[in-house]
Amino acid sequence: MLTSLALIFLVGLSMAFICRKIRLPRIIGMLVTGIVLGPFVLDFLDPKILGISSELRQMALIIILIKAGLSLNISDLKKVGRPAVLMSFLPALFEIGAFIAFAPLLLHVTLLEAAIIGAVLGAVSPAVVVPRMVSLMDEGYGTDKQIPQLILAGASLDDVFVIVLFSTFVGMAQGGTAKVMDFVNIPVSIVLGILVGAVFGFVLAWVFEFAHKRSDSIRQSLKVVLTLGSAFLLMAVEGWLDGIVSVSGLLAVMSMACVIRMRTRNEVSGDLSAKYGRLWLAAEVILFVLVGAAVDIRYTLNAGVMALVMIFLALVFRSVGVLLCLIGTKLNAKEKLYCVIAYLPKATVQAAIGSVPLSLGLSCGNIVLSVAVLSILVTAPLGAIGMDLSYKKLLNGNA
């Protein structure tokens, strides 16, 4: 396992460095590292690492979500309002609708199978999007119109919506029916996630402030451990309550971090944010290399040209959905274009659920996984490169 970790960090960072030198996003090098070192090419990674890959990826995602929450200004988030709510479901619905309309013709699947493929591909990747939005907020690009906050909020809610739809469609494919409660659980999951996270945030903020007033200062590193432990607990709560009530653990983590920022002194939240920024340097490598390791490139050969056509067609529909969400906002054409680009990449969710239909023995399992893998290989680099190369040209800087 130690050898595998060494390869993940050393090769992953080296490839990221090379990509940066040739003006490609670091993520490309990390994804390629995972694909090459993974079980479907060289098979250099210990099965023990791959066995806990999903947990390690989740831990890395938690770290960047805490960093995102500590960087969010709630007053800015309030200004975002309606567009953020629409961005959480409308682009995904347009993309799923495109699959339902065209996949039966292009991929020779049933309407229900097309809906399952659309639900797998409908989620934007927080692993690709969140770090870049945090970086934009740190650099001041687009913050004059709260663009990073808008995309960050929409992308975080988007995953909850799509995963619920995916679970519903898969249940129907297994012989069940869609239940009203499955759809009711979407807003319930969002609201409870925010509330539970806020409670944790208030408690931690009180502890940090109480210690500060008593001159019994808690070391910054200990605060990092406390917030990280609380975040892990919030993710565990989601699992504990599964089947009883829906709670979004990812939203709870971000909500907790937002409250800590609101309720503590600037130096406390600022130092915490800086600490998590440094933690992300290591977590980023683990996340993207292991996402790459989960990609079985053999399935791209099965997908064929029609799958590629379907993916791009669905992205066009998704982009129309994003533009509709932004009607009535103060964003100009360039800023709207950046929002469209930011909503292109797929990676984390597709790597996590793309193989589920196959593991359940559904007849559409192979085509779902094939299209999911192809979407990661195409859209993750496309979205990452697009965001990295365009933000200085499309967004106002240093507001």
Side-chain angles (χ1 to χ4, degrees), residues 26 60 62-68 70-71 131 134-135 138 224 269-285:
R26 289 159 46 88
I62 286 170
I63 288 171
I64 193 57
L65 284 171
I66 294 174
K67 165 69 174 168
L70 290 170
S71 302
V134 173
S135 178
D138 289 342
V224 170
S269 59
D271 288 345
L272 270 177
S273 181
K275 288 275 188 182
Y276 276 102
R278 287 190 284 273
L279 269 180
W280 173 243
L281 294 175
E284 177 186 34
V285 183

Side-chain angles (χ1 to χ4, degrees), residues 85-317:
V85 175
L86 292 176
M87 292 275 277
S88 69
F89 69 90
L90 199 58
L93 277 181
F94 268 70
E95 186 163 8
I96 293 170
F99 273 95
I100 292 172
F102 298 104
L105 177 64
L106 295 176
L107 304 179
H108 308 294
V109 295
T110 66
L111 285 176
L112 182 55
E113 290 169 346
I116 292 173
I117 300 172
V120 170
L121 268 68
V124 68
S125 173
V128 180
V129 173
V130 172
R132 281 161 177 77
M133 295 309 105
V134 173
S135 178
L136 288 184
M137 288 188 284
D138 289 342
E139 294 182 39
Y141 279 93
T143 52
D144 57 330
K145 296 182 183 177
Q146 294 80 45
I147 293 171
Q149 293 89 333
L150 165 66
I151 296 170
L152 188 59
S156 301
L157 297 171
D158 166 272
D159 289 352
V160 178
F161 175 73
V162 168
I163 290 172
V164 170
L165 286 184
F166 171 74
S167 302
T168 302
F169 294 147
V170 167
M172 293 170 65
Q174 289 179 297
T177 57
K179 300 175 183 177
V180 174
M181 280 307 298
D182 290 334
F183 298 98
V184 172
N185 279 336
I186 295 173
V188 169
S189 175
I190 292 170
V191 172
L192 284 183
I194 292 172
L195 290 177
V196 172
V199 170
F200 273 70
F202 275 107
V203 172
L204 285 175
W206 179 83
V207 170
F208 296 161
E209 286 296 299
F210 179 77
H212 186 87
K213 291 176 182 177
R214 289 281 302 273
S215 298
D216 183 22
S217 181
I218 299 177
R219 291 182 182 274
Q220 201 64 36
S221 54
L222 184 55
K223 292 174 184 174
V224 170
V225 174
L226 286 173
T227 53
L228 194 57
S230 298
F232 290 160
L233 185 58
L234 286 170
M235 292 301 297
V237 167
E238 179 179 359
W240 296 343
L241 297 178
D242 187 32
I244 302 172
V245 65
S246 295
V247 179
S248 171
L250 294 179
L251 279 181
V253 170
M254 192 180 294
S255 173
M256 177 190 72
C258 284
V259 171
I260 290 174
R261 176 191 166 111
M262 289 171 54
R263 305 293 296 181
T264 57
R265 301 164 194 272
N266 288 337
E267 60 266 27
V268 173
S269 59
D271 288 345
L272 270 177
S273 181
K275 288 275 188 182
Y276 276 102
R278 287 190 284 273
L279 269 180
W280 173 243
L281 294 175
E284 177 186 34
V285 183
I286 292 175
L287 176 60
F288 291 119
V289 170
L290 290 179
V291 165
V295 171
D296 187 346
I297 58 171
R298 295 173 300 180
Y299 281 106
T300 61
L301 300 176
N302 298 331
V305 176
M306 285 300 100
L308 193 60
V309 171
M310 185 66 245
I311 289 170
F312 278 104
L313 185 60
L315 288 179
V316 171
F317 274 70

Side-chain angles (χ1 to χ4, degrees), residues 72-87 145-154 325-326 329 331:
L72 271 178
N73 187 319
I74 298 298
S75 61
D76 286 344
L77 199 56
K78 288 178 181 176
K79 295 175 186 176
V80 173
R82 175 190 59 83
V85 175
L86 292 176
M87 292 275 277
K145 296 182 183 177
Q146 294 80 45
I147 293 171
Q149 293 89 333
L150 165 66
I151 296 170
L152 188 59
C325 295
L326 302 176
T329 64
L331 274 60

Side-chain angles (χ1 to χ4, degrees), residues 53-63 235 250 287:
S53 172
S54 62
E55 287 80 7
L56 290 173
R57 295 200 307 264
Q58 191 174 69
M59 289 168 63
L61 194 54
I62 286 170
I63 288 171
M235 292 301 297
L250 294 179
L287 176 60

